[in-house]
Amino acid sequence: MASDIIRDWDAHLAHERRRSEHTRRAYIATAERFAAFLSGHHGGEVDAGMLRRTSANDLRAYLATRRAEGLGNASAARELSALRGFLRFAGGEGATLPALRGPRVKKGLPRPVAPAEALQLAHDVEDNAREGWVGARDFALLLLLYGAGLRIGEALSLTGAALPLGDVLRVTGKRNKTRVVPILPAVAKAVARYVAACPWPMGKETMLFLGARGGPLQPGVVRASVRSARRALGLPERTTPHALRHSFATHLLAGGADLRSLQELLGHASLASTQVYTAVDAAHLLDIYRSAHPRA
């Protein structure tokens, strides 16, 4: 049964590949959509044998259906990548995958948020929170993303054991890799202010950032608050919680940080992932040149 294979693949992604919960949800949703498509496309129950017989034409037909639903090139490429992993798992050792080239994706550069915009965003989110402690929480969280370059999942996985914040913070990132990041005094102060205002008890095993009912704060809540604030401030749609991490990297590079140090701070497994920020910095300088030079 496809459902059994998908469940086993989810466990494989979690324990063997150490994929994040967000990645697993996306991959599993893709596998479930593909299994439903095969069932309608060929008729009958989808099992391991049908998955092993998947052809390039099957994948083309599936992607055509998804594109008709509005899927863009980048998302189609991600779905195809997920399906290759799923079919490789379903086929077992020595599985032969159908040859199909994915859609061409133009690689865009991460767009940083200006320092003033980052602070303005954090203040607006705080000012429009329903309760004072919630505003203090969101302000502290956004400052942590911008000031330390954390992914939102990394920040939300912190527990009370990190308190009180000192000069550095140990962070567990993708694939359970641990790194140490410096903490600015303003960030530590914002977190301490939130903890003092939080109405829920916070032990060493408790999540540091709590939701309105005392449970773990969900990333969707943070994204929704940022979305409302950026609209109110007239900031571009690229102004997201993850953009604050890009801003951290870009501004450090512009300030003279070397790529190897930046790689460590961001928790990138490969230096190639960090090198994209050299292009970001060059693009930023070019924007300044074009707007300031009289003959640009």
Side-chain angles (χ1 to χ4, degrees):
M1 291 279 292
S3 58
D4 295 332
I5 299 172
I6 292 172
R7 185 189 62 244
D8 292 343
W9 189 46
D10 186 26
H12 171 75
L13 291 172
H15 303 301
E16 303 297 327
R17 303 301 302 276
R18 295 183 178 180
R19 298 302 191 198
S20 70
E21 183 180 352
H22 175 77
T23 298
R24 281 166 40 218
R25 280 201 305 267
Y27 280 18
I28 295 307
T30 296
E32 290 172 343
R33 280 193 296 268
F34 184 64
F37 168 80
L38 283 182
S39 179
H41 191 58
H42 292 297
E45 188 176 280
V46 177
D47 56 14
M50 184 181 289
L51 291 173
R52 281 193 292 268
R53 293 191 297 273
T54 296
S55 67
N57 285 337
D58 291 328
L59 290 176
R60 286 192 192 95
Y62 170 74
L63 290 177
T65 301
R66 293 288 288 139
R67 295 298 291 271
E69 296 169 352
L71 201 69
N73 278 5
S75 296
R78 283 194 295 268
E79 290 224 352
L80 183 57
S81 176
L83 286 176
R84 284 180 175 136
F86 174 55
L87 293 174
R88 187 179 295 112
F89 176 83
E93 191 172 343
T96 301
L97 299 179
L100 179 64
R101 181 178 295 178
R104 182 171 295 180
V105 179
K106 183 179 180 181
K107 191 169 184 180
L109 296 176
R111 299 298 301 272
V113 180
E117 290 178 345
L119 287 176
Q120 190 179 26
L121 182 75
H123 281 298
D124 192 82
V125 168
E126 178 178 19
D127 292 343
N128 287 283
R130 290 174 297 175
E131 299 181 58
W133 78 271
V134 171
R137 176 201 69 192
D138 292 349
F139 181 81
L141 175 60
L142 295 179
L143 225 58
L144 188 59
L145 300 183
Y146 175 62
L150 269 60
R151 302 175 178 93
I152 189 170
E154 293 170 345
L156 294 183
S157 68
L158 294 173
T159 67
L163 299 174
L165 292 189
D167 294 333
V168 295
L169 175 66
R170 188 172 295 276
V171 179
T172 301
K174 289 185 174 181
R175 298 182 182 129
N176 286 335
K177 289 185 63 177
T178 302
R179 68 184 189 277
V180 175
V181 297
I183 296 297
L184 298 171
V187 175
K189 182 179 179 180
V191 171
R193 182 166 66 92
Y194 150 63
V195 171
C198 182
W200 302 101
M202 191 173 298
K204 291 190 177 298
E205 302 300 322
T206 307
M207 291 294 106
L208 174 57
F209 293 102
L210 300 173
R213 297 182 179 180
L217 178 61
Q218 299 302 311
V221 174
V222 183
R223 294 190 182 103
S225 297
V226 169
R227 188 161 54 245
S228 297
R230 77 171 180 238
R231 287 172 180 166
L233 295 170
L235 298 176
E237 289 191 8
R238 62 179 171 81
T239 310
T240 65
H242 197 66
L244 296 176
R245 171 175 159 87
H246 292 318
S247 302
F248 165 84
T250 305
H251 299 157
L252 279 184
L253 190 63
D258 63 273
L259 278 177
R260 285 293 180 188
S261 299
L262 192 57
Q263 179 188 4
E264 290 295 321
L265 289 172
L266 291 171
H268 284 160
S270 166
L271 186 62
S273 299
T274 314
Q275 284 174 329
V276 68
Y277 290 103
T278 60
V280 172
D281 192 45
H284 176 64
L285 291 175
L286 188 57
D287 285 343
I288 293 175
Y289 170 80
R290 285 173 174 163
S291 63
H293 197 285
R295 295 194 178 276

